[in-house]
Amino acid sequence: MTTTELPDDFYAAVPVCQGRTAAMDYLRRPGPVYQAGKTWIITSYDGVRYAQKNPDLFSSAKAFDGLSAAIPMIPLAIDPPKHADYRRVLDPMFGPKRIDAMEGELRAQLRGHIDAFAPLGHCDVVADLSYKFPTQAILTLFGLPLEHLPQFLVWVTGIIKGADITALGLEPTPQVIDCSMALFGFLQEQIEIKRRQPGQDMLSSILALDGDQAWTDAEILGLCFLIVLAGLDTVTGAIGFSLLTLATDPQLRQRLVADPALIGPFVEEMLRLEGPVPGVPRRTTADVEVEGVTIPADSPVLLMVSTANREVPSAAANPDEMDLTAKPAHLGFGGGIHRCLGSHLARRELRLTIEEFHARIPDYRLAGEATTLWPAGTFALESLPLQFDPR
Ligand code: HEM
């Protein structure tokens, strides 16, 4: 098949219901670089790495022009050199030390959810756990009171369901605008409160910056908004696929229950093989040749980290299979200057979820269909019904 024959709906038609390997094979079949509709798709590891390492040719700011005009999505929609200024300030605020300090609270939140359904003998992981917990984690990171969780979830769901951050050239819908305005109003209020009563949290740290380093309220709101978009349904999806894999592979589950040190390598392999992010958007700033194919200037491009992950050097002998000893440097969190700012938090959320789930419910099985929503900005499950002995 030549690239010009690919239909406009090629990407929307990815057969996710046939499993992730079939979906990845489908996306890789037309080649390492091809055009589907208006969008150029880079599927190979080398091609994706090249684009990540050349942000001057593959602009993130231009990819988010529509959304970021109203809201400066910091630092995702910022190109060099300004991007580095933001990351220099933000990286320590999302580093392992900050996440260590949150661990006790995160575990308590998880136990609260798991204790609520453990006596019932069944749960829907999505509704009962993987949807609420990442939002609590973000409130904790921001240092915002958890009593706001229900209202926060309503706004966040409105924004995430209405906006697809990987959609190219997307204009915000009225629902996204309404929920965003409500969320902005709330965050603005909380920023004022934090100014008066600072804590040991991310928002307080940013508000404490002064002089040349000080951020405007618009910048702070833009960062908070991006974190809501980038840090919630990604973790929801990753928890869902992790527990689905463990529910349907009793041997693997028993290995992890017997040796919790394997949970870390398992999480990495899940991010490589079943990560929640299919691809990330860019726009070319000039004609650029990738893998022998010329992508014209000003073209929308998707860097498919999910397919590239099937070609990561040093992955298992069969890169489509899980190998808890391989430790390949996967691209599930992206790479280059825009590598995920929340990777430490995300990894911790995933590890703690499995540890706490197994501590209370070590044996569980799938109790219905686990459907993947598609097309969507992330790979995520609609529901994940599980059964187990009441505990
Ligand atoms: C399993 C969960 C997650 C996955 C798989 C993931 C994946 C990614 C990927 C692939 C990128 C690169 C985007 C690009 O190159 O355009 C990214 C960037 C980013 N992520 Fe995550 N993410 C996750 C969780 C989180 C969390 C929990 C947060 C916030 C607390 C977060 C915040 C961000 C931010 C702010 C960026 C932009 C970084 C920059 O542009 O410099 N992510 N993420």
Side-chain angles (χ1 to χ4, degrees):
M1 187 189 274
T2 66
T3 60
T4 47
E5 287 172 58
L6 293 173
D8 281 1
D9 69 348
F10 175 81
Y11 189 71
V14 177
V16 290
C17 56
Q18 292 172 22
R20 199 63 78 83
T21 297
M24 296 300 109
D25 286 349
Y26 169 97
L27 281 163
R28 290 169 71 193
R29 206 164 298 134
V33 180
Y34 57 90
Q35 191 177 14
K38 290 198 180 78
T39 305
W40 286 84
I41 297 186
I42 304 182
T43 61
S44 66
Y45 178 83
D46 288 345
V48 169
R49 290 299 288 145
Y50 176 76
Q52 288 171 335
K53 286 179 189 162
N54 288 283
D56 49 329
L57 293 172
F58 292 87
S59 164
S60 293
K62 287 191 192 309
F64 289 106
D65 261 357
L67 268 180
S68 217
I71 310 142
M73 291 207 293
I74 294 168
L76 184 66
I78 309 292
D79 281 343
K82 184 77 188 146
H83 178 268
D85 296 341
Y86 285 121
R87 285 298 294 247
R88 206 171 301 118
V89 171
L90 289 170
D91 281 353
M93 295 182 194
F94 288 79
K97 273 196 194 146
R98 192 50 77 83
I99 309 306
D100 284 348
M102 290 170 59
E103 181 164 321
E105 220 169 317
L106 296 180
R107 275 197 197 276
Q109 289 161 8
L110 280 164
R111 283 183 195 143
H113 294 304
I114 296 166
D115 287 353
F117 56 70
L120 305 177
H122 61 86
C123 71
D124 177 349
V125 170
V126 178
D128 299 330
L129 180 64
S130 69
Y131 169 62
K132 297 176 194 163
F133 171 58
T135 308
Q136 281 177 319
I138 295 292
L139 285 172
T140 309
L141 177 81
F142 285 0
L144 301 182
L146 291 188
E147 75 213 38
H148 298 301
L149 181 66
Q151 181 58 72
F152 205 77
L153 280 172
V154 171
W155 293 325
V156 163
T157 312
I159 296 168
I160 290 175
K161 291 254 187 286
D164 167 356
I165 64 161
T166 68
L168 299 153
L170 183 94
E171 292 298 328
T173 62
Q175 180 200 0
V176 174
I177 292 173
D178 287 351
C179 290
S180 306
M181 293 319 285
L183 181 62
F184 281 180
F186 166 77
L187 289 170
Q188 188 77 58
E189 266 171 42
Q190 298 300 320
I191 287 171
E192 290 313 320
I193 296 173
K194 284 262 165 248
R195 269 208 178 96
R196 291 194 299 271
Q197 296 165 322
Q200 298 295 313
D201 50 76
M202 186 209 81
L203 267 187
S204 302
S205 304
I206 293 181
L207 288 166
L209 298 169
D210 54 12
D212 287 356
Q213 293 241 305
W215 286 32
T216 63
D217 279 8
E219 287 176 307
I220 300 176
L221 286 173
L223 169 72
C224 294
F225 187 70
L226 170 63
I227 288 174
V228 166
L229 282 184
L232 298 183
D233 62 339
T234 45
V235 182
T236 301
I239 292 175
F241 288 111
S242 298
L243 287 175
L244 172 61
T245 299
L246 293 169
T248 50
D249 188 341
Q251 270 188 346
L252 178 63
R253 184 176 69 245
Q254 281 151 18
R255 279 180 73 194
L256 265 55
V257 169
D259 183 2
L262 291 176
I263 293 174
F266 168 75
V267 164
E268 294 311 310
E269 278 292 81
M270 284 307 299
L271 290 167
R272 183 177 71 82
L273 291 167
E274 307 250 352
V277 178
V280 296
R282 299 288 189 268
R283 194 171 268 268
T284 49
T285 57
D287 288 1
V288 49
E289 192 184 309
V290 184
E291 302 262 23
V293 177
T294 301
I295 305 178
D298 204 28
S299 299
V301 183
L302 270 181
L303 316 185
M304 299 305 296
V305 291
S306 55
T307 51
N309 269 338
R310 304 283 169 141
E311 298 176 11
V312 174
S314 86
N318 177 354
D320 288 329
E321 280 180 11
M322 181 169 288
D323 178 349
L324 299 184
T325 61
K327 294 193 185 158
H330 64 76
L331 302 182
F333 287 120
I337 62 165
H338 290 286
R339 193 179 177 283
C340 182
L341 179 64
S343 64
H344 299 291
L345 176 60
R347 283 193 166 114
R348 194 70 61 98
E349 287 179 71
L350 291 167
R351 175 166 66 73
L352 296 184
T353 300
I354 298 169
E355 282 178 14
E356 291 299 328
F357 202 94
H358 284 178
R360 186 84 197 252
I361 307 169
D363 192 13
Y364 48 95
R365 57 214 160 269
L366 194 58
E369 220 175 315
T371 321
T372 305
L373 293 162
W374 190 263
T378 50
F379 290 119
L381 295 170
E382 200 160 14
S383 73
L384 176 54
L386 296 184
Q387 259 179 1
F388 40 84
D389 292 339
R391 318 286 300 186

